Amino acid sequence: MSKKLDIHNHILPKDWPDLKKKYGYGGWVSMDHHCGLVGRCNMMKDGKFFRTVEENCWSPEARLKEMDRDGITVQALSTVPVMFSYWAKPEDTLDVSRMVNDDLARTVASHPDRFVGLGTLPMNAPLLAVEEMRRAAVDLRFPGFQIGSHVGDWNLDAKELYPIYKTAEELGTVLFVHPWDMEMGGRMSKYWLPWLVGMPAETATAICCLLMGGVLNTFPRLKVCFAHGGGSFPYTVGRVQHGYNVRPDLCATDCPLPPRDFLGKFWTDSLVHDQAALKLLVDVIGEDRVMLGTDYPFPLGEVLIADAYPGKVIKESEFSPHIKKKLLWDNAMEFLNLDGSKF
């Protein structure tokens, strides 16, 4: 059986302190393990129900059983985006980031042949983020970090974020961009639209900002992967390029290179749920730049639910065995700078 690395999945600590009590203000998430649901836990936000998660969201042992069942060799673990906490006071976001990263490091250390860690950062305070990057990369040996698709009013082209990109280049650590903080109300309040439509738009926005904002031109050694197959970007790249061509006064203000010049210079996961979409994704992004991603353990991911299972779209594709091996393993090894023989 071929090896598989899942670049996109989420894990939480089993529990953590009462952050409202610790910091003196609300907005924080907590875990209610006394909800009466066996093997489940309610995530609460300011005392109100947020979502129910199962044991596989915090237990490495439960997770490993399902990885073995699903044929997943390694998971690159990252937190649930609600834990980003970019809205909080910088020193508190740093504290939460350190708590999450230390817990993640303990999980990785318990099974180093099955897990690697993608830490979280206080992106709302770039200098503190750089401090945590250095600690997590050196002391915790994380190969990279998960970041949000925007930070408050900053898109990812904000100059304020440049110290983070510079440090990632220096350390050789990667960035995994996950959409978050979508519009939830009004017209988006029905049909799960924030997740089905808002997330792909968020990711496309993040890609456009890194490309047209000149970030990948300024930091050519920066390795970035985008979740959910790059969102809506692969389907709309022609429109983006055309806009650059016909309205350079609006689109070419911050980077001398057109968007298409950066194709093949960033990565995406494979989470598109559709054969034709995966073929387009590989055609646009490149067969060396797409990696298996499942969004485990959540139901919108490619997990064992309904007619889905981890790696289904790749496995059932018409790609050659050589390309499938790239998508399932080789590309992730290159992206994360890992030695595949150690897993």
Side-chain angles (χ1 to χ4, degrees):
M1 183 177 66
S2 61
K3 292 182 178 181
K4 302 181 183 70
L5 185 144
D6 179 3
I7 194 69
H8 179 185
N9 58 88
H10 302 290
I11 193 169
L12 288 166
K14 183 176 181 179
D15 211 347
W16 53 85
D18 183 335
L19 299 180
K20 182 177 182 179
K21 182 178 180 180
K22 183 176 184 179
Y23 301 136
Y25 56 98
W28 306 99
V29 171
S30 61
M31 299 281 269
D32 177 13
H33 288 278
H34 305 287
C35 61
L37 301 173
V38 178
R40 297 187 176 190
C41 169
N42 283 341
M43 296 180 72
M44 310 295 290
K45 192 171 183 179
D46 286 336
K48 297 180 180 179
F49 175 78
F50 179 69
R51 81 189 316 173
T52 297
V53 293
E54 297 183 4
E55 186 180 20
N56 55 14
C57 200
W58 70 81
S59 167
E61 291 72 26
R63 179 171 291 245
L64 284 166
K65 289 180 182 178
E66 296 187 357
M67 289 170 64
D68 290 342
R69 177 198 68 193
D70 298 336
I72 300 296
T73 314
V74 181
Q75 286 184 340
L77 303 172
S78 57
T79 194
V80 179
V82 72
M83 299 299 289
F84 286 159
S85 307
Y86 299 157
W87 52 270
K89 295 178 181 178
E91 62 271 21
D92 298 336
T93 309
L94 173 62
D95 191 53
V96 170
S97 297
R98 291 176 68 98
M99 174 193 74
V100 169
N101 290 342
D102 288 345
D103 182 82
L104 192 62
R106 286 190 290 270
T107 298
V108 172
S110 69
H111 300 280
D113 59 334
R114 304 301 300 275
F115 299 130
V116 296
L118 299 178
T120 190
L121 299 169
M123 297 288 288
N124 52 328
L127 295 184
L128 294 181
V130 166
E131 174 187 315
E132 180 61 7
M133 289 177 79
R134 296 190 184 281
R135 185 187 80 93
V138 175
D139 297 343
L140 306 184
R141 304 182 67 83
F142 287 174
F145 302 91
Q146 177 186 229
I147 67 173
S149 51
H150 69 277
V151 183
D153 291 332
W154 295 340
N155 278 320
L156 295 188
D157 60 339
K159 294 294 194 295
E160 289 87 348
L161 300 174
Y162 273 30
I164 294 171
Y165 303 143
K166 182 174 185 293
T167 303
E169 274 198 331
E170 292 173 355
L171 294 172
T173 51
V174 306
L175 299 178
F176 177 71
V177 179
H178 196 290
W180 86 301
D181 195 29
M182 304 79 66
E183 177 62 47
M184 302 293 287
R187 294 170 52 240
M188 300 296 286
S189 61
K190 294 178 68 176
Y191 313 125
W192 215 10
L193 289 177
W195 278 262
L196 301 183
V197 177
M199 278 191 165
E202 267 292 314
T203 305
T205 300
I207 295 175
C208 285
C209 287
L210 284 186
L211 271 52
M212 291 193 285
V215 175
L216 295 186
N217 189 44
T218 303
F219 302 99
R221 293 182 291 110
L222 185 64
K223 298 174 79 171
V224 187
C225 174
F226 297 90
H228 309 134
S232 56
F233 177 82
Y235 187 74
T236 56
V237 63
R239 181 179 180 87
V240 171
Q241 180 65 46
H242 184 67
Y244 183 95
N245 294 340
V246 300
R247 290 303 304 267
D249 57 313
L250 299 177
C251 301
T253 57
D254 295 330
C255 183
L257 300 178
R260 279 192 179 275
D261 278 23
F262 295 100
L263 297 180
K265 297 181 180 179
F266 60 89
W267 285 254
T268 75
D269 73 14
S270 63
L271 190 56
V272 294
H273 303 285
D274 182 87
Q275 294 292 337
L278 181 64
K279 184 178 185 305
L280 174 69
L281 177 65
V282 171
D283 286 346
V284 172
I285 303 300
E287 67 182 54
D288 297 320
R289 294 294 180 263
V290 178
M291 301 174 282
L292 172 66
T294 70
D295 213 354
Y296 173 97
F298 299 126
L300 194 51
E302 194 176 61
V303 297
L304 192 61
I305 187 172
D307 64 342
Y309 60 85
K312 174 185 178 179
V313 176
I314 294 174
K315 181 179 179 181
E316 297 182 3
S317 73
E318 296 181 356
F319 291 123
S320 68
H322 176 65
I323 292 179
K324 288 181 180 179
K325 183 172 179 289
K326 286 185 177 184
L327 304 182
L328 293 170
W329 183 256
D330 293 346
N331 293 346
M333 290 296 107
E334 179 192 353
F335 176 67
L336 293 168
N337 304 307
L338 298 177
D339 179 355
S341 67
K342 295 182 178 180
F343 301 98

